[in-house]
Amino acid sequence: MEQLVQLAKIAFASEFSFYLKAHQFHWNIEGPDFYQYHELFGEIYEEVFESIDPFAEQIRAMGSYMPGSYTRFSMLTRIDDEEQILSKDQMVTELIQDNEKMVVIFKKLFEASEANNEYGFSDFVAARLDAHRKHGWMLRASMKR
Ligand SMILES: [Fe+2]
């Protein structure tokens, strides 16, 4: 259970970082496809942000307090910060890579949840996997030439 909670906090902080990066890209995208990518990044950050509060409440229900500071998030997250302003192609490529990291993190978390008989939490994690699979599809499809 201890290990499950720790993995859940890593996934939570990573999800928060992923959300923030998608939002940063939504703000800073430029180019002839501005509107299309502004909307795509917008759809992604909004979906991920909406999962943040229920995710925290799932972890609280398992009896743990929640990290809520950038210092703690930076210690827990597996998604690197992006401090540069990237080109559209770089943004999409980086978000595809980060999205794949999120899929790996959530698969591991799902297995830990099942091993601890936390089936309700497994359902939540499975829904995050579905959401990230869809984000990956949209990002990859948008890059196809
Ligand atoms: Fe906006």
Side-chain angles (χ1 to χ4, degrees):
M1 189 69 178
E2 191 93 337
Q3 197 213 356
L4 172 61
V5 167
Q6 185 57 22
L7 280 175
K9 286 182 188 175
I10 288 168
F12 177 84
S14 302
E15 190 76 307
F16 199 94
S17 302
F18 183 90
Y19 145 73
L20 183 60
K21 193 179 287 188
H23 208 157
Q24 195 258 86
F25 290 174
H26 167 82
W27 292 325
N28 291 317
I29 182 76
E30 286 179 323
D33 304 325
F34 165 83
Y35 191 72
Q36 181 193 337
Y37 284 92
H38 180 71
E39 287 295 302
L40 175 60
F41 295 140
E43 192 174 318
I44 292 171
Y45 92 71
E46 281 177 10
E47 189 286 324
V48 176
F49 186 73
E50 279 190 15
S51 77
I52 291 295
D53 188 59
F55 196 172
E57 291 176 1
Q58 286 276 349
I59 299 172
R60 283 293 289 129
M62 288 192 276
S64 176
Y65 289 114
M66 283 308 296
S69 67
Y70 288 118
T71 306
R72 288 282 289 132
F73 285 172
S74 72
M75 290 160 71
L76 290 162
T77 187
R78 298 294 184 264
I79 302 295
D80 294 331
D81 265 351
E82 184 51 74
E83 296 176 49
Q84 308 301 315
I85 303 300
L86 304 181
S87 71
K88 183 264 286 176
D89 281 4
Q90 289 170 325
M91 286 179 178
V92 176
T93 303
E94 187 168 317
L95 215 52
I96 287 171
Q97 287 165 357
D98 288 341
N99 190 70
E100 278 163 15
K101 280 189 204 164
M102 291 312 305
V103 168
V104 171
I105 288 167
F106 278 124
K107 278 184 177 165
K108 209 172 149 190
L109 185 57
F110 184 86
E111 284 162 15
S113 182
E114 290 288 279
N116 283 274
N117 302 327
E118 289 284 348
Y119 304 120
F121 186 54
S122 296
D123 275 358
F124 176 81
V125 176
R128 296 314 304 143
L129 275 167
D130 267 355
H132 279 285
R133 191 171 57 172
K134 190 176 168 198
H135 298 325
W137 157 56
M138 290 197 296
L139 288 163
R140 285 191 308 274
S142 76
M143 282 293 269
K144 194 145 185 188
R145 292 177 199 280

